[in-house]
């Protein structure tokens, strides 16, 4: 910033240079700092693609059933799915409720995220990770927050876990 004064009026003028981040995903944040609110009605959301061969327990539709105890678990691979949310959203973040059977709770280590408005052309948003502090974990929940928002209708998600992969619920924050 810099300052200049007007000798005659005894006023001081200050200019502030704002540094903006080119990063899309916030780091070192908490769930309460995510703008917007979770989508309340996910009844129109549909899984349009998923890895069906690596499933150990459950189905991908359980991600939207509102029951945190039900989950999709894979055999050693990521939890991978594409969801059509039925309409455009201004997404400001997302969260995963981890599988929590037998008292164990597992949050994703990293999540590769792609988005689209038409279901044909997908844009890579990035891969937030716990190691980069762009996934905030408060078990059983894991949160991802964006600087600003991203207009989305379709999301491709590839959530990697260290072991015992499993996700009970998935939702986005929107404004």
């Amino acid at each position: 910033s810099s300052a200049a004064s007007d000798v005659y009026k005894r006023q001081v003028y200050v200019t502030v240079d704002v540094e903006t981040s080119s990063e899309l995903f916030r780091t070192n944040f908490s769930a309460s700092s995510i703008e917007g609110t979770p989508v309340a009605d996910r009844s129109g959301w549909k899984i349009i693609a998923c890895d069906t061969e690596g499933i150990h327990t459950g189905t991908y539709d359980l991600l939207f059933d509102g029951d945190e105890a039900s989950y999709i678990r894979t055999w050693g691979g990521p939890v991978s799915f594409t969801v059509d949310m039925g309409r455009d959203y201004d997404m400001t973040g997302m969260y995963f409720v981890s599988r929590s059977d037998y008292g164990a709770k597992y949050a994703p280590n990293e999540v590769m995220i792609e988005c689209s408005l038409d279901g044909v052309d997908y844009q890579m948003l990035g891969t937030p990770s716990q190691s980069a502090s762009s996934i905030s974990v408060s078990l059983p929940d894991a949160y991802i927050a964006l600087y600003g928002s991203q207009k989305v209708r379709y999301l491709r998600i590839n959530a990697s876990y260290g072991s015992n992969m499993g996700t009970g619920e998935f939702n986005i924050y929107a404004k």
Side-chain angles (χ1 to χ4, degrees):
S1 68
S2 60
S5 64
D6 181 336
V7 177
Y8 300 107
K9 296 181 183 173
R10 297 193 175 261
Q11 294 179 341
V12 175
Y13 300 94
V14 178
T15 59
V16 178
D17 298 323
V18 178
E19 182 178 332
T20 58
S21 173
S22 62
E23 295 294 318
L24 181 63
F25 298 106
R26 295 173 65 173
T27 56
N28 301 311
F29 66 97
S30 67
S32 62
S33 62
I34 301 175
E35 294 180 27
T37 56
V39 174
D41 182 6
R42 296 175 294 160
S43 62
W45 291 20
K46 293 183 178 44
I47 297 292
I48 58 172
C50 60
D51 175 16
T52 57
E53 293 187 24
I55 294 176
H56 176 275
T57 305
T59 65
Y60 278 91
D61 292 329
L62 296 174
L63 294 174
F64 317 128
D65 70 351
D67 181 0
E68 293 183 1
S70 65
Y71 60 88
I72 177 74
R73 179 182 173 203
T74 62
W75 279 112
V79 172
S80 298
F81 61 94
T82 303
V83 58
D84 175 357
M85 296 181 289
R87 68 175 190 85
D88 295 356
Y89 289 94
D90 285 323
M91 181 178 73
T92 57
M94 62 180 62
Y95 71 90
F96 297 80
V97 177
S98 301
R99 164 186 168 217
S100 60
D101 57 320
Y102 303 109
K105 296 180 172 97
Y106 307 98
N109 294 333
E110 66 179 26
V111 180
M112 187 183 74
I113 305 165
E114 296 175 275
C115 71
S116 174
L117 289 172
D118 62 8
V120 177
D121 297 316
Y122 282 82
Q123 168 190 358
M124 171 62 78
L125 290 184
T127 306
S129 67
Q130 285 191 47
S131 62
S133 299
S134 51
I135 296 178
S136 175
V137 176
S138 176
L139 289 174
D141 303 322
Y143 299 91
I144 296 169
L146 282 70
Y147 288 110
S149 65
Q150 177 73 41
K151 190 167 282 295
V152 299
R153 174 175 172 164
Y154 300 87
L155 287 172
R156 278 188 193 154
I157 301 295
N158 188 316
S160 299
Y161 295 73
S163 65
N164 292 305
M165 294 52 137
T167 302
E169 289 292 304
F170 170 77
N171 202 348
I172 66 168
Y173 283 76
K175 59 179 186 173

